[in-house]
Amino acid sequence: MTPRDAAEPNDSSRWSDLDRPPLNATALRKGLVREGGLWSEVTVVPSTGSTNSDLVALANAGKAAEGAVLVAEEQTSGRGRLDRQWTAPARSGLFFSVLLTPTEVPVARWGWVPLLTGVAVASGLSRAAGVDTALKWPNDLLLTVGGEERKAGGILAERAGGDGVVVGVGINVTLREDELPVPGAGSLALAGAVTTDRDPLLRAVLRSLEEWYGRWRSAGGDPGASGLQETYAAGCATLGRRVRAELPGDRSITGEAVAIDGDGRLVLATGEGVQEPVGAGDIVHLRTA
């Protein structure tokens, strides 16, 4: 088969955008799946609605083990927090989900899993792509494009299979300015990444996630003993800023983000002199006057 033969009208084959080559599933499995390691299987599919939905369904049916990784070249119904849609052109990013079963960690500490994933993604991309990354609490990856802070990725965690958590990650890699879904979005390419080859980027992120997950799990989920709490705070762009927390029930709090507590909550110091922890909500970074 040649590229010319494959590129028929309305064809979404692997050759439809030569600037965006497909992932090499065989090489990914060879590089990531090893005896004694976390990753047990790496599956790459051309397209699906949502890798999270698919992997949750497999886990609930007992058809996926810890360390399963499901990657899609394209997601047609990708989901972010608060059921927001996540869409991007095929092969323009990394769209994947992993199954973790931290049974030795108290369930009360499982809220750290998406924050742990954020630290792993940011550190992996910083090493592999050579870009400065930051985290917006609780689950957004920020990059600097033209001196402006932009969201280039997100994380979604869901319970699955009784004793597991499926964590989904979406990262914009090669999106061009005219392809960005919303104002304020960004991509690794726009941030000047030294590489946009998705194979080494995905390997770097998953290896970083394996390292941080192992450290956290060995510490019984203790965010202080594992170094997770300190590392997350150091890379969190939300801390030290005036923010508005939009909470369930149409309630909001405005204040300065001063800390990440032991439960992974964002602590706001309000104008009334009260420190209020926020465990769930949408955070808006407010501009200083």
Side-chain angles (χ1 to χ4, degrees), residues 9-207:
N10 300 318
D11 181 29
S12 59
S13 75
R14 59 185 281 159
W15 302 109
S16 58
D17 188 337
L18 296 181
D19 291 329
R20 291 170 173 160
L23 291 165
N24 186 328
T26 301
L28 287 171
R29 281 191 287 270
K30 184 177 180 180
L32 292 166
V33 179
R34 69 185 194 284
E35 186 175 354
L38 172 62
W39 308 120
S40 56
E41 180 57 68
V42 179
T43 303
V44 180
V45 298
S47 180
T48 191
S50 162
T51 57
N52 252 39
S53 295
D54 292 351
L55 195 50
V56 166
L58 289 171
N60 288 342
K63 296 180 179 179
E66 180 173 48
V69 182
L70 177 60
V71 190
E73 296 282 28
E74 178 183 32
Q75 282 194 125
T76 57
S77 302
R79 293 176 292 118
R81 289 181 62 250
L82 308 177
D83 286 329
R84 290 174 178 146
Q85 294 296 305
W86 178 286
T87 59
R91 301 188 301 281
S92 67
L94 291 173
F95 320 115
F96 66 94
S97 297
V98 303
L99 175 60
L100 306 175
T101 56
T103 51
E104 61 276 85
V105 174
V107 173
R109 289 176 168 170
W110 287 19
W112 276 98
V113 170
L115 279 68
L116 180 156
T117 304
V119 167
V121 170
S123 58
L125 290 179
S126 292
R127 288 196 297 264
V131 295
D132 289 330
T133 58
L135 298 167
K136 177 185 174 188
W137 188 91
N139 69 339
D140 290 346
L141 177 76
L142 303 179
L143 299 174
T144 301
V145 178
E148 179 186 6
E149 205 172 60
R150 298 197 190 181
K151 176 181 174 179
I155 297 161
L156 177 67
E158 301 178 81
R159 290 290 298 269
D163 60 355
V165 181
V166 167
V167 187
V169 178
I171 304 166
N172 295 336
V173 178
T174 60
L175 262 72
R176 301 177 277 268
E177 196 76 44
D178 62 349
E179 294 176 318
L180 297 175
V182 294
S187 69
L188 291 173
L190 292 173
V194 296
T195 181
T196 56
D197 185 337
R198 294 178 304 141
D199 283 81
L201 292 175
L202 180 57
R203 287 197 299 271
V205 167
L206 288 174
R207 285 170 179 158

